[in-house]
Amino acid sequence: MLELERLNVLRGPAQVLRNLSLTVGDRESVCLVGRNGAGKTTTIDGIMGLLPLKSGRVALGGRDITRLPAHERALAGIGYSPEDAGIFPDLTVAENFRISQSLARSAGKGGAVVAANGIDERVLGLFPEIGDFIGRRGLHLSGGQKKMVAIGRAMTLSPSILLLDEPFEGLAPVVVSRFIDAVKQIKALGISLLIAESNLMTASRVADRLYAIDRGEIIFDDE
């Protein structure tokens, strides 16, 4: 589903990733594990085209997307939930979803069943709680609620693979378990996942395979 081949990625003048290679298979959940600053977010940003590649190759479903801009990668099937959720703070949850629904329709992906409140029924199946705060502005959401909206918004574009950057960070243990259940549901829908995660124990609860990263290099994989 996703293949990274010898990525060298810059963040400003600094090279962060060094010859990083990994793969995510069809309907597979893979975790990229490492301490803060190891290069996990840079890997995700490099896949999405948010950072320039010095060299290397990114392929999605066998198609080389290395030169595609970020918005075209999203429409090609890469869903993205950033570490900070990236919710528009002055818009309501419903308005945040309407933006992604509009993009989905423009890309010919507007066939999803929508509930009475305007939210994709697949999203409500993952996070029915969203219905309780659908009219709330992004500014007034809790950390867990923002993550729900960010993941749900990415799902609206019907991705073939979902990139989750630190989805469990800052959450209470009971909420982490709730999100782990949602990740398993996403995988059951046939969507592959690449999850950047700092906690090895949490990663082991959701991953089919693990990669460990340090100083921008893969130091372990269990392929």
Side-chain angles (χ1 to χ4, degrees):
M1 180 56 64
L2 179 70
E3 181 181 6
L4 311 184
E5 184 179 338
R6 299 181 66 82
L7 290 196
N8 290 280
V9 177
L10 304 174
R11 190 176 284 278
Q15 181 172 343
V16 179
L17 300 188
R18 295 174 176 82
N19 295 320
L20 184 143
S21 298
L22 62 79
T23 61
V24 181
D26 187 33
R27 299 170 181 259
E28 186 178 38
S29 176
V30 173
C31 274
L32 181 63
V33 182
R35 60 182 175 79
N36 290 337
K40 303 187 300 300
T41 294
T42 299
T43 301
I44 299 292
D45 288 349
I47 295 169
M48 280 307 304
L50 299 174
L51 289 174
L53 300 187
K54 183 178 180 182
S55 62
R57 176 176 176 269
V58 180
L60 178 68
R63 174 193 178 191
D64 190 332
I65 62 168
T66 308
R67 298 187 181 279
L68 288 185
H71 71 281
E72 291 189 20
R73 298 189 194 201
L75 295 177
I78 303 181
Y80 171 51
S81 174
E83 183 177 1
D84 64 357
I87 302 302
F88 293 102
D90 293 327
L91 300 183
T92 66
V93 171
E95 289 167 339
N96 271 272
F97 276 108
R98 280 202 287 272
I99 291 173
S100 57
Q101 288 166 345
S102 175
L103 291 172
R105 286 191 296 271
S106 70
K109 297 183 176 183
V113 178
V114 176
N117 58 10
I119 303 304
D120 188 326
E121 286 193 350
R122 293 171 303 177
V123 174
L124 291 177
L126 291 172
F127 299 115
E129 301 95 326
I130 289 176
D132 296 331
F133 52 83
I134 192 70
R136 194 176 303 170
R137 290 171 57 197
L139 183 66
H140 302 304
L141 299 178
S142 69
Q145 290 168 340
K146 288 178 180 178
K147 289 177 184 289
M148 287 182 187
V149 174
I151 294 172
R153 189 175 58 183
M155 289 287 292
T156 302
L157 288 171
S158 300
S160 52
I161 184 168
L162 189 58
L163 311 181
L164 305 180
D165 192 1
E166 299 283 7
F168 314 115
E169 185 178 30
L171 302 180
V174 65
V175 183
V176 168
S177 295
R178 172 71 186 86
F179 272 74
I180 287 174
D181 289 342
V183 166
K184 292 177 179 178
Q185 285 180 260
I186 292 170
K187 182 185 172 186
L189 292 172
I191 299 170
S192 302
L193 295 113
L194 177 62
I195 304 169
E197 175 55 42
S198 300
N199 188 301
L200 179 59
M201 294 300 294
T202 300
S204 66
R205 295 172 62 185
V206 296
D208 298 313
R209 291 189 296 115
L210 297 173
Y211 288 91
I213 184 172
D214 189 46
R215 298 182 181 180
E217 298 179 273
I218 297 297
I219 59 173
F220 171 81
D221 70 75
D222 60 359
E223 290 183 333

